[in-house]
């Protein structure tokens, strides 16, 4: 019996290592693609215009519907959100995304752009509040914009995916990029955001990836007590954008929130993330 238990444990360990190897192999392939296209995006913001309107954005939605604004990570584009946007749109949600050049800017300027985009999408749709979904760097940008108080009353739900609230061990590789320097563990920006509470009326969900080597461990979890956290296994940092499990979770969380809003004040609490 003991020998069988040892054999079963060894088999489980081998399977876990094999799954991790596949995930990291996929992550490496996606990362190479991002790196190959990064120069086009970094020089003058070429690749995608921030002003291009998403085909999923609908004008003048119902008053109870909150549009979803997707914010990509470093060197990403609007197209990084393709699967997420398609899934949310199929659920009847109004979706848009923003783009920005990662070089020659700062966290403050990116936060300014985010605030302007939220104001624009609310004006276009006629909604009172928006849902914000940010991957990697842009979860921190969302936190920066919210901490500044300029989004008070305009945000319903925030979902961050693998965002380096605790810094990234790789942030020192690009010391000439200001927004990357700000992501070093213990940076003044991250320390300041760590002490900023979540505003009343905002629900914050932090999604982490068990196999994330860019933002490992609990670095992607804000320190606010109000934040709810869910961790997905067999997923890496870039895989958060294409994982069916993660995308289904985002869609279910936002759809449930919309249903709660439509049902009225007595039904506006969502089940906690597990």
């Amino acid at each position: 019996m003991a020998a069988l238990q040892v054999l079963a444990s060894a088999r489980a360990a081998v399977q876990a290592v094999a799954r991790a190897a596949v995930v990291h192999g996929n992550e490496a392939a996606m990362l190479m693609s991002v790196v190959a296209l990064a120069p086009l995006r970094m020089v003058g913001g070429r690749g995608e215009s921030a002003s291009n309107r998403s085909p999923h954005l609908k004008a003048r939605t119902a008053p109870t519907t909150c549009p979803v604004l997707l914010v990509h990570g470093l060197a990403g584009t609007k197209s990084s959100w393709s699967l997420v946007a398609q899934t949310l749109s199929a659920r009847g949600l109004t979706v848009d995304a923003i783009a920005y050049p990662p070089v020659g800017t700062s966290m403050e300027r990116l936060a300014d752009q985010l605030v302007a985009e939220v104001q624009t999408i609310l004006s276009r749709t006629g909604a009172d509040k928006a849902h914000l979904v940010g991957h990697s760097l842009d979860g921190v940008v969302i936190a920066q914009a919210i901490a500044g108080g300029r989004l008070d009353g305009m945000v319903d739900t925030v979902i961050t995916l693998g965002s380096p609230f605790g810094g990234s061990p790789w942030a020192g590789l690009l010391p000439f990029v200001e927004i990357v320097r700000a992501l070093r563990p213990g940076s003044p920006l991250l320390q300041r955001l760590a002490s900023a509470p979540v505003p009343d009326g905002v629900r914050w969900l932090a999604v982490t990836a068990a196999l994330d080597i860019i933002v490992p461990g609990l670095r992607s979890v804000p320190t606010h007590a109000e934040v709810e956290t869910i961790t997905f296994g067999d997923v890496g940092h870039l895989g958060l954008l294409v994982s069916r499990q993660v995308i289904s979770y985002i869609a279910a969380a936002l759809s449930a929130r919309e249903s709660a809003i439509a049902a009225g004040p007595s039904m506006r609490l969502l089940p906690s993330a597990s």
Side-chain angles (χ1 to χ4, degrees):
M1 182 64 68
L4 290 176
Q5 291 176 339
V6 170
L7 181 61
S9 297
R11 180 180 300 150
V14 170
Q15 290 174 342
V17 171
R19 288 196 301 270
V22 170
V23 170
H24 290 315
N26 291 336
E27 285 282 302
M30 287 187 288
L31 183 59
M32 289 176 64
S33 176
V34 169
V35 170
L37 295 175
L40 292 177
R41 298 164 186 160
M42 290 184 175
V43 180
R46 292 173 59 189
E48 283 185 325
S49 171
S51 62
N52 287 344
R53 186 169 170 177
S54 168
H56 303 285
L57 180 61
K58 309 166 190 174
R60 310 303 297 179
T61 61
T64 55
T65 300
C66 297
V68 182
L69 189 59
L70 307 173
V71 196
H72 64 71
L74 184 69
T77 69
K78 289 183 179 182
S79 60
S80 303
W81 292 108
S82 294
L83 294 178
V84 176
Q86 291 169 10
T87 302
L88 296 182
S89 183
R91 292 284 191 107
L93 294 165
T94 299
V95 186
D96 200 5
I98 67 175
Y100 61 87
V103 171
T105 188
S106 66
M107 287 291 185
E108 290 75 15
R109 287 193 287 273
L110 291 180
D112 290 342
Q113 179 182 340
L114 176 60
V115 171
E117 293 285 350
V118 171
Q119 293 170 337
T120 297
I121 197 173
L122 293 182
S123 176
R124 286 178 179 172
T125 62
D128 295 325
K129 293 185 178 182
H131 302 308
L132 304 180
V133 183
H135 176 248
S136 195
L137 164 72
D138 273 277
V140 179
V141 174
I142 291 173
Q144 167 79 358
I146 288 179
R150 291 171 298 163
L151 288 177
D152 287 356
M154 291 188 283
V155 177
D156 184 273
T157 301
V158 172
I159 301 179
T160 53
L161 313 174
S163 296
F165 299 106
S168 171
W170 303 93
L173 295 181
L174 295 173
F176 55 89
V177 180
E178 182 177 347
I179 57 176
V180 176
R181 289 201 306 270
L183 300 180
R184 292 176 175 177
S187 72
L189 171 69
L190 295 181
Q191 290 183 7
R192 178 170 55 80
L193 294 180
S195 62
V198 176
D200 291 339
V202 176
R203 189 184 187 209
W204 197 304
L205 310 176
V207 177
T208 70
L211 298 180
D212 191 336
I213 61 173
I214 304 298
V215 187
L218 297 179
R219 293 172 185 262
S220 54
V221 179
T223 58
H224 313 122
E226 303 91 340
V227 172
E228 302 166 36
T229 304
I230 182 169
T231 300
F232 288 90
D234 297 337
V235 179
H237 187 72
L238 297 175
L240 286 166
L241 295 170
V242 296
S243 164
R244 291 183 179 179
Q245 285 185 310
V246 174
I247 295 173
S248 294
Y249 168 75
I250 296 171
L254 295 181
S255 295
R257 180 58 184 157
E258 288 298 303
S259 296
I261 293 172
S266 62
M267 298 293 292
R268 289 192 177 184
L269 290 178
L270 288 178
S272 296
S274 58

